[in-house]
Amino acid sequence: MRILMLTWEYPPRIVGGIARVVQDLSKRLIKDGHEVTVITYKEGNLPDYENDKGVNVYRVSNYMINPNNFVDWVLQLNFNMITKATELINKEGKFDVIHAHDWLAAYSAKSLKNSFDIPLVSTIHATEAGRNSGIHDETQRYINDTEWLLTYESTEVIVNSNFMKNDIQRLFGLPFEKINVIPNGVNISTYNGVERDYDFRRQYAADNEKIILYVGRLVYEKGIQNLISALPKILDSYNDTKLIIVGKGGMMDELKAQVNNMGLSNKVYFTGYMAPKQVQKMYKCADISVFPSTYEPFGIVALEAMLAGVPTLVSDVGGLNEIVNHRIDGMKSYAGNPNSIADSVLELLYNPKLCDDISKKAKSKVRMMYNWNKIAQDTYYTYQKAICKTMAEKQAAQIAQEKAKRTRKTKNTETEITNLLRFKKRHAYI
């Protein structure tokens, strides 16, 4: 099968979780014998074309004119994605299926689908309404409407959790059977040969300090502000603790100000962006990982922590709530509740046996349920559904056209016969 992936991010450009999902899925599909082409945004000096272990990656810029805002920037990017895809189709032939990732690829996906009559599958990784706890201004409304348009134009829609399935069904009124739940995954060999590096660890915490680790974007819905608010209660009971925050985002300055105002500067370390290899090392150095999101469609970082063998605490929302079973393969806290976060962290700090038990079960669970072999197979099955449904719709349309043509022909014949009989009747006595 020839597959076209449309995405605004692909490694080494990583904005959120889409980049890694598209890369891992594409590479697994390649191993299964499919041909995958990715069209994405060109950032900095990245090459226009790259063969990423079998994945054909084409990068395009937006137009040279400066856009007025982010929405215009996305629209300009989509123009060039359409141009590149059209060039490839004219040169190499049609793709069997288009797979678009989030609203940022909606315009190009819709145009290519209708221009070349190619089945369209889309993955909705998150929604604008979910990220912002509703729609509050015209820009958010525009993005929300574009998300609806993408799901409407798609033959099949993929989401990564049952929470997301219910959410987009409620938001966009999609038929339930059109929405396919396929979780994200992790490369299960990621931590092979990676051990705790004590010299690396000492750059961030003393040997006697327990590391509480957060990895992800620094944005409001990730709930880092609540984790920081939980720290005084944790330190009152277990002072030898250090919070390490890995990532970048729009709330960096605000979170640093919160830490300073609370007098916690010596207990919180902001690393900024870390390369994937460094993140792997950091997971191995951590004693507890915490992901306190207030909105989370899935939560791939939780899987990474669980695979690394780190006791993992998540909030009881969205996809995170589906990944973890409390006190069995992880811990949960009430979303947005610093007191609840602190209680679960302290239980882990004071109960090494619980940490050991949930870590072993979590690692086993990730290896069994969230490996890319199964995910790629489920995605391929969704592609097949989209292709078959598109063919069935074409056949139904052809049958309807032929039926309408026969009906018109029959009516014309009946009209001719009627006219002839009337003519004969009028001239019967002449």
Side-chain angles (χ1 to χ4, degrees):
M1 186 179 287
R2 296 187 67 229
I3 303 158
L4 174 62
M5 297 273 189
L6 300 173
T7 173
W8 86 306
E9 58 171 307
Y10 188 89
R13 169 178 162 81
I14 299 174
V15 181
I18 297 176
R20 286 172 293 178
V21 169
V22 175
Q23 185 182 52
D24 288 342
L25 175 60
S26 298
K27 287 182 177 179
R28 185 63 247 180
L29 288 168
I30 289 288
K31 289 182 179 179
D32 290 343
H34 307 292
E35 180 185 325
V36 181
T37 298
V38 173
I39 300 180
T40 189
Y41 173 61
K42 179 181 178 180
E43 185 174 60
N45 295 320
L46 292 173
D48 294 337
Y49 170 77
E50 176 186 8
N51 188 300
D52 183 18
K53 296 182 179 178
V55 182
N56 295 308
V57 182
Y58 293 89
R59 297 185 176 91
V60 298
S61 303
N62 60 346
Y63 283 131
M64 297 301 292
I65 59 174
N66 291 323
N68 292 323
N69 49 52
F70 179 65
V71 169
D72 287 352
W73 181 93
V74 170
L75 187 61
Q76 291 180 13
L77 172 64
N78 274 256
F79 290 152
N80 278 354
M81 292 172 80
I82 294 169
T83 302
K84 176 55 67 176
T86 303
E87 176 190 319
L88 294 173
I89 290 169
N90 290 336
K91 182 180 178 182
E92 302 170 7
K94 279 172 55 173
F95 294 93
D96 295 306
V97 68
I98 298 168
H99 190 166
H101 294 267
D102 264 3
W103 74 274
L104 301 123
Y107 315 120
S108 54
K110 178 183 183 299
S111 299
L112 292 167
K113 169 209 166 185
N114 293 325
S115 298
F116 296 100
D117 199 20
I118 302 174
L120 171 61
V121 174
S122 64
T123 295
I124 305 299
H125 296 265
T127 64
E128 187 70 5
R131 284 186 293 266
N132 299 286
S133 299
I135 301 300
H136 307 290
D137 58 44
E138 288 308 309
T139 299
Q140 291 174 4
R141 190 176 307 283
Y142 177 88
I143 294 172
N144 179 78
D145 291 349
T146 307
E147 291 169 345
W148 168 83
L149 177 66
L150 178 59
T151 61
Y152 176 80
E153 290 287 341
S154 299
T155 310
E156 296 289 333
V157 176
I158 296 173
V159 293
N160 47 35
S161 64
N162 288 303
F163 162 77
M164 276 296 291
K165 179 169 183 171
N166 288 306
D167 201 34
I168 69 167
Q169 202 281 329
R170 174 183 61 83
L171 286 169
F172 306 137
L174 297 182
F176 226 54
E177 63 275 8
K178 183 177 177 176
I179 311 170
N180 305 268
V181 179
I182 304 176
N184 291 333
V186 289
N187 185 340
I188 59 176
S189 62
T190 297
Y191 295 98
N192 290 354
V194 181
E195 301 295 336
R196 177 170 286 196
D197 185 336
Y198 286 95
D199 290 333
F200 178 82
R201 191 183 193 278
R202 290 182 184 113
Q203 298 176 40
Y204 304 98
D207 288 351
N208 62 302
E209 289 181 312
K210 298 286 188 180
I211 290 181
I212 301 172
L213 178 65
Y214 167 84
V215 178
R217 291 181 297 127
L218 308 187
V219 292
Y220 181 80
E221 66 265 24
K222 297 299 181 182
I224 312 107
Q225 64 277 8
N226 299 316
L227 175 56
I228 293 170
S229 296
L231 202 53
K233 182 176 180 178
I234 295 169
L235 292 171
D236 283 345
S237 297
Y238 204 107
N239 187 62
D240 289 341
T241 304
K242 190 77 169 282
L243 173 59
I244 307 296
I245 298 175
V246 178
K248 62 180 182 179
M251 281 189 72
M252 174 73 83
D253 293 338
E254 185 179 336
L255 294 171
K256 284 184 175 180
Q258 180 184 356
V259 168
N260 289 333
N261 292 337
M262 294 176 69
L264 299 171
S265 299
N266 63 329
K267 287 294 184 178
V268 181
Y269 192 109
F270 290 89
T271 71
Y273 171 78
M274 270 190 165
K277 294 291 184 185
Q278 290 178 304
V279 173
Q280 290 172 18
K281 283 186 175 183
M282 187 58 79
Y283 275 125
K284 282 294 185 179
C285 292
D287 297 284
I288 298 170
S289 58
V290 182
F291 304 104
S293 301
T294 56
Y295 169 75
E296 190 64 70
F298 185 73
I300 198 168
V301 284
L303 295 185
E304 293 173 346
M306 292 162 75
L307 184 63
V310 186
T312 301
L313 165 63
V314 302
S315 54
D316 61 345
V317 296
L320 289 175
N321 194 40
E322 296 173 31
I323 291 172
V324 170
N325 292 310
H326 186 56
R327 294 181 59 83
I328 295 174
D329 46 38
M331 297 289 287
K332 292 182 184 179
S333 65
Y334 296 120
N337 190 324
N339 194 56
S340 178
I341 295 171
D343 288 342
S344 291
V345 168
L346 288 170
E347 186 171 2
L348 290 172
L349 288 172
Y350 280 107
N351 194 337
K353 185 179 184 306
L354 176 63
C355 289
D356 189 53
D357 288 345
I358 65 174
S359 297
K360 287 177 180 176
K361 289 175 183 174
K363 186 182 289 189
S364 176
K365 182 178 187 177
V366 172
R367 288 178 176 276
M368 181 175 64
M369 295 179 59
Y370 299 101
N371 66 83
W372 280 108
N373 292 358
K374 181 180 184 305
I375 294 165
Q377 289 173 2
D378 292 343
T379 304
Y380 173 61
Y381 172 69
T382 304
Y383 294 161
Q384 288 182 314
K385 279 174 62 182
I387 292 169
C388 291
K389 191 179 289 186
T390 302
M391 290 177 64
E393 288 171 354
K394 286 181 187 176
Q395 290 173 350
Q398 288 175 351
I399 291 169
Q401 286 178 347
E402 290 172 3
K403 186 177 179 181
K405 188 176 179 181
R406 286 196 301 269
T407 302
R408 284 197 303 271
K409 188 174 181 180
T410 301
K411 286 182 177 179
N412 290 338
T413 303
E414 289 174 351
T415 301
E416 289 174 3
I417 292 171
T418 302
N419 291 338
L420 181 60
L421 290 172
R422 286 174 179 171
F423 176 81
K424 287 183 175 181
K425 186 176 181 180
R426 284 198 305 269
H427 293 79
Y429 302 103
I430 295 175

